[in-house]
Amino acid sequence: MFYRENGQFKSSYRADQQILPITQDRIAMLVLLLAAFVVVPLGVSDYWMRAILTPFLILSLAALGLNILVGYCGQISLGTGAFMAVGAYAAYNFQVRIDGMPLIASLLLGGLCATVIGVLFGIPSLRIKGLYLAVATLAAQFFTDWAFLRIQWFTNNSSSGSVSVAGLNVFGVPIESPVQKYLFCLIFVVVFALLAKNLVRSAIGREWMAMRDMDVAAAVIGIRPVYAKLTAFAVSSFIVGVAGALWGFIHLGAWEPAAFSIDRSFQLLFMVIIGGLGSIMGSFFGAAFIVLLPLFLNQLPGWLGFSISTALASHLETMIFGALIVFFLIVEPHGLARLWSTAKEKLRLWPFPH
């Protein structure tokens, strides 16, 4: 009843092409942005900012980039951690080798370097797909791990591969406190989410989805597979590279290649699958699930009034976490985004379904 679009007429093409055509959705988005930019910085502790919200935003951005490749174009990738590492180390080199390089320019240039590597490892997608393509992208993970450990030029002659950044600022404003880091990441996430939403609604976005649904039929109607697949790899790698640079610069401050291991690649793939393939919103749902659920499981024994050992709690957390992932995949294989869409459909008729 409260979520009903009856009477909301679209009298122009511009009104028909809005990202959020329903008034209730626009109001909800404004409230959400207001809460994210104003209420959260004023009312949330530094621990939540530093340990939960900032990682959540950066991982959401990385999942968004991977979702464009996997969810919208149907190209599987297990090298997301490698593309994040390329973005982080490339941004680091731009920052330390060019005096006066602005922070935002370093992050974006790191994303461009990740784009080049992503397109290079995406070329096999023109001949192979499925599990074979997954193995081919996995090679990017092994290659970057070796390169950042063995080629010391990438790490400014650090023998361990560990690098660090300090004194970050944007237009003279320091990025040091947890609130400043949170707001900096939030601006990146909002801008890239808006760009990604518009991109998947454009002609290239429809080409990606046509390739995902049936590549042979897409080629028959005139879509160029080379252009569609490589642009998906390029856009996805750029966003993932920027997320990797944010992860190193803003969240970690000092990092080594292990920070972008294959575990990170699988973690991001789980986020996309659980959140919902082919959904911008699903990327955020998946990141929230992966980041918040372990925290919830860790606190649950205390809330229920009994104590368990730290080792047992860690094992139980892992087991329950895995069981919940399987449960969600069986009950709703289209992810949490589909559950959200179903809930909105129910609200259109509630409380008078007949």
Side-chain angles (χ1 to χ4, degrees):
M1 180 178 183
F2 299 107
Y3 187 73
R4 184 170 294 182
E5 66 269 34
N6 287 0
Q8 299 182 27
F9 302 109
K10 304 176 182 64
S11 55
S12 65
Y13 286 116
R14 185 176 180 180
D16 189 49
Q17 294 176 347
Q18 293 180 95
I19 293 178
L20 300 173
I22 301 176
T23 303
Q24 293 91 326
D25 284 341
R26 291 196 292 273
I27 295 174
M29 183 57 66
L30 286 175
V31 171
L32 182 63
L33 290 176
L34 185 65
F37 278 98
V38 178
V39 178
V40 171
L42 293 177
V44 175
S45 66
D46 287 350
Y47 168 76
W48 268 79
M49 288 281 183
R50 182 177 59 255
I52 297 172
L53 294 180
T54 301
F56 161 71
L57 290 174
I58 299 174
L59 292 176
S60 298
L61 183 61
L64 176 64
L66 182 61
N67 212 339
I68 287 177
L69 182 65
V70 179
Y72 284 99
C73 195
Q75 306 300 304
I76 190 72
S77 172
L78 294 180
T80 313
F83 303 140
M84 289 183 72
V86 171
Y89 278 98
Y92 169 75
N93 276 278
F94 283 115
Q95 192 73 18
V96 299
R97 298 181 188 282
I98 302 177
D99 291 335
M101 172 66 77
L103 174 61
I104 294 177
S106 297
L107 300 177
L108 296 179
L109 289 172
L112 284 178
C113 293
T115 301
V116 174
I117 301 300
V119 170
L120 183 64
F121 281 94
I123 291 176
S125 67
L126 306 178
R127 299 297 299 271
I128 57 178
K129 56 184 177 181
L131 290 176
Y132 297 96
L133 179 60
V135 173
T137 55
L138 190 60
Q141 188 72 52
F142 298 138
F143 179 79
T144 56
D145 285 348
W146 173 85
F148 294 130
L149 280 174
R150 301 300 179 188
I151 304 176
Q152 295 186 0
W153 185 87
F154 290 133
T155 57
N156 200 20
N157 298 318
S158 170
S159 58
S160 64
S162 177
V163 298
S164 63
V165 292
L168 301 177
N169 68 83
V170 178
F171 304 119
V173 179
I175 308 296
E176 295 178 351
S177 68
V179 173
Q180 291 168 334
K181 292 181 177 180
Y182 164 79
L183 289 175
F184 186 71
C185 294
L186 181 61
I187 292 172
F188 265 85
V189 170
V190 170
V191 171
F192 275 90
L194 183 61
L195 292 175
K197 184 65 177 177
N198 279 294
L199 197 59
V200 298
R201 297 179 336 132
S202 67
I204 186 62
R206 290 191 287 273
E207 290 186 9
W208 292 341
M209 288 182 270
M211 294 301 301
R212 174 197 62 189
D213 295 339
M214 186 173 289
D215 53 354
V216 176
V220 168
I221 63 175
I223 294 175
R224 295 167 293 172
V226 175
Y227 177 75
K229 290 182 178 180
L230 291 187
T231 52
F233 267 98
V235 173
S236 170
S237 302
F238 178 75
I239 297 176
V240 169
V242 172
L246 286 173
W247 187 261
F249 277 58
I250 305 301
H251 178 54
L252 298 178
W255 69 93
E256 56 187 7
F260 305 100
S261 65
I262 191 171
D263 291 343
R264 185 72 61 201
S265 300
F266 280 113
Q267 185 186 41
L268 291 169
L269 188 61
F270 292 155
M271 288 180 188
V272 172
I273 294 174
I274 294 172
L277 291 167
S279 167
I280 300 295
M281 187 66 74
S283 306
F284 293 91
F285 285 149
F289 184 88
I290 296 291
V291 172
L292 296 180
L293 185 62
L295 183 69
F296 172 77
L297 294 177
N298 191 36
Q299 299 293 328
L300 186 60
W303 294 340
L304 296 179
F306 60 90
S307 61
I308 58 177
S309 66
T310 305
L312 179 60
S314 177
H315 291 301
L316 283 176
E317 177 185 320
T318 305
M319 292 172 61
I320 295 173
F321 185 65
L324 284 175
I325 289 177
V326 175
F327 172 78
F328 269 108
L329 292 180
I330 293 175
V331 174
E332 184 49 80
H334 296 290
L336 298 173
R338 183 61 176 270
L339 292 177
W340 173 245
S341 299
T342 304
K344 289 200 298 184
E345 291 293 331
K346 298 288 185 184
L347 285 175
R348 287 184 176 183
L349 300 178
W350 184 85
F352 306 111
H354 303 290

